Amino acid sequence: MTDSFDLVRDLPSALRDRAAAWVYIRGFAATWRTPLGPEDGTPEAALAAVEAGLGVRLPAALREAYALFGRRADLHSNMHSLLAPDGFYVDDRKEALVFREENQGAASWGVLLTDLDKADPPVRIRADLADQEEERWEGWLDAFSVSCIEIVLSEALQADEPVCDHGDFEDFDELERRFTRLPFPAYPEGEEGEAFYAGPGLLLCDGGGWLSVRARDEETLDRFRDDFPAEWLNG
């Protein structure tokens, strides 16, 4: 798995097919984190209990994702929180099932109740605004499985580990020349949000002038910081 996985090459098929998405996440975990094992998934009984308690039927993609990596906080909750099943809730307007929350309460991610019957439904995001009447469930990504890939990639960059760093960055032309942009869809839904890049032993994310980087080892990260001077937080 670790020898065959490729961040860029394997992504297009993972974006088209949810079974391939789980293979991609397995490959990423084995290569960049720690391989997934049977104990890393949420037990079926916990998912069934949530369905009974909330009176909903969880989409197939959500069940499969949690069965795969629901207990691996290092893959999904280094900054924002993927909720444990017993933390799922229906929002105050009874519009969506919430499964993820922003780390400062600024936003929530959910699936519309009207989409729960879909196998791999779109994921929506709702910002926490001063005027709650202005809050809406806006489009984020068009499939739950694709959202899981985004979560795993973005949260890997936020780990409190010596192979990760962040900083203000300006030379994005050079970044484009030297690294390969992952063919990830524009998000939130049609907008230019974060952009992921890959290079030998490196995963990067441009968050609009704020660059996050994860390396396979500390030496690779040191070389990257030498090549790309910035106000690195940890360097």
Side-chain angles (χ1 to χ4, degrees):
M1 179 70 77
T2 57
D3 293 332
S4 62
F5 175 74
D6 186 276
L7 276 169
V8 180
R9 182 201 64 210
D10 298 341
L11 185 57
S13 61
L15 297 175
R16 294 191 301 267
D17 176 74
R18 78 173 191 269
W22 312 143
V23 173
Y24 189 89
I25 289 172
R26 280 191 178 278
F28 181 83
T31 307
W32 291 81
R33 307 292 292 168
T34 303
L36 283 160
E39 71 283 356
D40 294 328
T42 301
E44 169 62 26
L47 297 170
V50 169
E51 291 182 321
L54 293 178
V56 300
R57 179 66 179 172
L58 300 176
L62 185 151
R63 300 177 73 90
E64 292 164 1
Y66 272 77
L68 178 63
F69 65 94
R71 289 181 164 177
R72 280 288 297 273
D74 65 304
L75 287 174
H76 58 61
S77 296
N78 293 309
M79 175 172 282
H80 308 311
S81 296
L82 192 73
L83 302 178
D86 60 5
F88 292 173
Y89 63 93
V90 175
D91 73 303
D92 57 327
R93 295 179 184 170
K94 304 295 188 290
E95 293 176 336
L97 177 71
V98 178
F99 68 90
R100 189 182 189 220
E101 293 183 336
E102 199 268 345
N103 68 327
Q104 295 181 321
S108 301
W109 288 262
V111 176
L112 295 181
L113 298 185
T114 53
D115 287 335
L116 290 179
D117 61 342
K118 299 176 181 177
D120 198 2
V123 168
R124 309 279 181 162
I125 186 169
R126 176 178 167 179
D128 182 16
L129 304 177
D131 183 356
Q132 292 187 346
E133 294 299 318
E134 294 296 318
E135 294 180 8
R136 300 286 185 274
W137 285 104
E138 308 285 353
W140 194 57
L141 284 162
D142 65 4
F144 191 89
S145 59
V146 174
S147 299
C148 289
I149 294 173
E150 195 282 344
I151 289 169
V152 167
L153 293 179
S154 62
E155 292 293 330
L157 290 154
Q158 302 302 325
D160 184 15
E161 299 174 12
V163 293
C164 297
D165 210 345
H166 319 269
D168 286 317
F169 189 75
E170 297 180 357
D171 195 1
F172 286 99
D173 288 340
E174 182 67 8
L175 197 71
E176 291 274 1
R177 284 193 292 270
R178 294 185 51 180
F179 295 93
T180 302
R181 183 168 179 171
L182 271 64
F184 204 80
Y187 71 102
E189 207 168 75
E191 298 180 16
E192 282 295 332
E194 297 180 346
F196 295 99
Y197 296 85
L202 289 163
L203 171 65
L204 306 100
C205 181
D206 164 25
W210 182 255
L211 188 67
S212 295
V213 56
R214 181 184 182 91
R216 292 285 294 277
D217 53 61
E218 293 180 58
E219 292 76 16
T220 301
L221 180 59
D222 286 339
R223 288 195 296 271
F224 175 82
R225 288 185 296 214
D226 288 342
D227 290 345
F228 290 88
E231 292 296 324
W232 297 109
L233 292 183
N234 304 324

